[in-house]
Amino acid sequence: MSASCCGTTASLELEQIATSGATGALPVVVIGAGPVGLAAAAHLAERGQDFLVLEAGEQVAASVARWGHVRVFSPWKFNIDAAAKRLLEADGWSEPDPEWLPTGAELITDYLAPLAKLFGDKVRLHAKVTAISRLGYDRVRTNGREEVPFLIRLDGGAELRARAIIDASGTYVTPNVLGASGLPAYGESIVEIDHALPDVLGADRDTYEGKHTLVVGAGHSAATTLLALAQLENTPITWAIRAGGAGRTYGGGAADALPARGALGTRLRAHVESGRIRLLTGFFVHSVARSGNQVTVVSRDPSGAEQSVTVDRIVAATGYRPDHSIASELRLDLDPILGSTRRLALLIDPNQHSCGTVPAHGVDELSHPEPGYYAVGVKSYGRAPTFLMATGYEQVRSVVAAIAGDWEAARDVQLDLPETGVCSSNLAEAQEQRVGLATGVSGGLLATPLPLATVGASNDGGGCCG
Ligand SMILES: Cc1cc2nc3c(=O)[nH]c(=O)nc-3n(C[C@H](O)[C@H](O)[C@H](O)COP(=O)(O)OP(=O)(O)OC[C@H]3O[C@@H](n4cnc5c(N)ncnc54)[C@H](O)[C@@H]3O)c2cc1C
């Protein structure tokens, strides 16, 4: 069967792959063929573990493809998993320039697609997981629970079994809402709202040129979109943030510990000060409603004071949240704030950590009360916006070692990153090339920690990758 099969035939084949036999003979199922899911597959392949990768999209790394026009901050040398590199090189692949900052599209064509090809039909496309449980066990039943396989239900009704699950399904398809209190704004589901990071200067140009656009959010996704919009003529731009000022987004300018962030912030500040971008502060989105061909967005702040703006388009750049609903019949121990495991939450709390200060971690921090289920990659961080691919690669190295029974390797967690270099400083250059700006990893692995007070203070869903 080809990797692009879908529909009933593919579903039946999937059922046949894993519906019988002892739990130990079943494959490890990886959910999601993004950078971290495919890295998990590489480690499973190296350790001779049977596996199957289920990808909802019509191509591998379907979420990365949605931001394919964006150039990331971290150079190739931090974006390639070690096991994946070994497998690819054995197949004759040449590593891209380690210092180059790839776009999302380049991540796929130069790395992830060739990697997935190595695994043949062990990577299944159009295979969206809708639910996971234990065969014959709901969440309450205990006796013998650990002995039975996982049951995985797919969109379309097929079911298959697994001896362990590595859930690398990401957060990109579950963005945060526009509403300021974490609840959807009134009317949010009935007006058209654009996802973060539209390709303003490329494929989506006609959508935005000449249209008054409201960008909501204080992270780097918002900043990137605003700077791209500012290059379009006759295109009014309004930027709305909850905070009382945009200092956090601007960063420290030329004095910023992170030159990339400084370059982004300096340009943005200049556009706001010149009036090219109209900034609305203290803007707490309460409702959105159509008014003719436009949309009126109303803010109601905690004191009840209202302000509003009427625009043609809205871009919501308010961050992402994990969707744990597919695992609701499993026993998860989730941190009440972030939605990561509780042990991991202590290490990644954005009130205390930037990307650069998150320590290496692995199977122990990622384990739930449900043995054999691990959420990894950006999903493992829940709502913390500080995830790095390199961190996810170490997560899956550790988790796969544990699944293979090599607990010594599983617990020997390391992040081999230098103090500088994960976040390149040539953001401004990338911007000049008009190839898109990274939103990710503003924190980077720099020696100087981010100013933590500003990260936590406004809680605007920004941070490294917001
Ligand atoms: C614009 C942007 C720039 C970034 N820049 C950097 C950077 O410079 N450096 C860095 O280290 N990190 C960066 N990040 C952060 C992070 O590394 C990436 O988001 C990365 O793609 C996360 O990889 P992942 O495999 O965990 O998840 P994803 O890439 O989101 O992959 C998840 C996959 O799971 C699939 N899926 C989802 N639900 C299901 C389901 N129910 N069933 C089956 N499949 C499913 C999706 O289609 C997708 O292919 C950036 C993020 C963004 C958004």
Side-chain angles (χ1 to χ4, degrees):
M1 188 180 73
S2 91
S4 61
C5 283
C6 58
T8 314
T9 311
S11 298
L12 285 175
E13 279 192 40
L14 279 174
E15 263 184 315
Q16 284 159 11
I17 285 170
T19 49
S20 62
T23 302
L26 294 170
V28 175
V29 163
V30 178
I31 306 176
V36 180
L38 289 173
H43 286 274
L44 288 161
E46 271 201 334
R47 285 186 172 271
Q49 304 285 311
D50 192 16
F51 68 90
L52 193 60
V53 181
L54 303 174
E55 165 57 49
E58 60 183 24
Q59 66 169 94
V60 296
S63 292
V64 175
R66 289 173 70 170
W67 50 270
H69 58 288
V70 176
R71 191 170 292 281
V72 301
F73 271 24
S74 54
W76 272 116
K77 64 183 173 191
F78 296 113
N79 302 334
I80 296 173
D81 171 72
K85 183 176 169 178
R86 288 189 290 270
L87 295 177
L88 281 162
E89 285 181 342
D91 192 56
W93 170 85
S94 301
E95 186 181 5
D97 178 352
E99 304 301 332
W100 182 250
L101 304 174
T103 61
E106 287 168 348
L107 272 177
I108 297 175
T109 54
D110 297 350
Y111 168 49
L112 298 171
L115 179 61
K117 207 171 161 200
L118 295 181
F119 304 135
D121 66 3
K122 286 184 182 297
V123 178
R124 304 300 175 100
L125 304 178
H126 302 284
K128 181 176 181 183
V129 174
T130 56
I132 316 166
S133 190
R134 289 270 188 190
L135 186 64
Y137 282 66
D138 62 16
R139 199 166 72 194
V140 178
R141 195 169 168 219
T142 299
N143 285 346
R145 182 177 189 88
E146 295 177 15
E147 312 305 319
V148 299
F150 286 98
L151 177 71
I152 297 163
R153 185 168 288 178
L154 296 176
D155 197 11
E159 290 186 344
L160 63 152
R161 300 176 194 181
R163 69 188 172 91
I165 294 178
I166 298 177
D167 182 352
S169 58
T171 56
Y172 196 76
V173 292
T174 46
N176 279 329
V177 295
L178 202 57
S181 306
L183 304 176
Y186 288 105
E188 187 165 338
S189 61
I190 47 176
V191 303
E192 191 182 346
I193 295 170
D194 302 333
H195 203 61
L197 292 164
D199 189 4
V200 169
L201 299 176
D204 301 322
R205 189 178 190 114
D206 289 348
T207 306
Y208 293 96
E209 196 150 36
K211 309 273 173 45
H212 182 184
T213 301
L214 173 70
V215 178
V216 181
H220 287 82
S221 293
T224 297
T225 302
L226 288 161
L227 288 173
L229 286 166
Q231 294 188 46
L232 299 180
E233 287 184 9
N234 304 316
T235 303
I237 308 162
T238 302
W239 175 27
I241 58 175
R242 280 183 297 197
R248 171 177 155 255
T249 313
Y250 296 151
D256 201 300
L258 302 165
R261 183 179 60 181
L264 188 74
T266 301
R267 286 172 178 233
L268 191 57
R269 181 195 291 271
H271 283 308
V272 170
E273 287 176 356
S274 73
R276 175 71 186 90
I277 294 172
R278 178 186 175 212
L279 173 63
L280 300 175
T281 57
F283 200 93
F284 294 74
V285 178
H286 179 70
S287 66
V288 287
R290 282 201 193 96
S291 63
N293 290 332
Q294 293 189 297
V295 182
T296 296
V297 183
V298 176
S299 157
R300 185 179 294 170
D301 75 15
S303 75
E306 291 194 354
Q307 56 179 320
S308 69
V309 60
T310 297
V311 296
D312 298 308
R313 301 205 69 87
I314 304 171
V315 176
T318 47
Y320 307 93
R321 55 178 65 172
D323 177 10
H324 293 294
S325 64
I326 59 170
S328 61
E329 283 307 308
L330 299 183
R331 297 177 174 182
L332 305 187
D333 182 31
L334 297 171
D335 177 72
I337 300 171
L338 295 179
S340 64
T341 61
R342 284 181 205 247
R343 282 191 69 176
L344 184 57
L346 298 172
L347 308 181
I348 61 175
D349 181 352
N351 295 289
Q352 296 179 32
H353 289 283
S354 71
C355 311
T357 62
V358 171
H361 53 268
V363 65
D364 287 329
E365 291 79 9
L366 295 166
S367 292
H368 285 282
E370 190 74 59
Y373 171 80
Y374 306 96
V376 298
V378 68
K379 182 169 185 174
S380 72
Y381 271 38
R383 293 199 195 186
T386 46
F387 179 76
L388 289 172
M389 277 175 269
T391 316
Y393 297 157
E394 180 60 3
Q395 290 180 340
V396 293
R397 187 205 59 75
S398 170
V399 164
V400 170
I403 289 172
D406 184 353
W407 283 93
E408 195 181 333
R411 294 204 159 115
D412 182 22
V413 287
Q414 299 176 5
L415 257 191
D416 189 18
L417 296 169
E419 286 182 342
T420 58
V422 166
C423 303
S424 170
S425 61
N426 62 0
L427 170 69
E429 188 188 316
Q431 189 176 352
E432 290 299 339
Q433 294 168 3
R434 299 171 69 175
V435 287
L437 303 176
T439 62
V441 207
S442 70
L445 278 269
L446 297 180
T448 312
L450 289 176
L452 301 178
T454 52
V455 173
S458 62
N459 192 25
D460 260 342
C464 284
C465 307

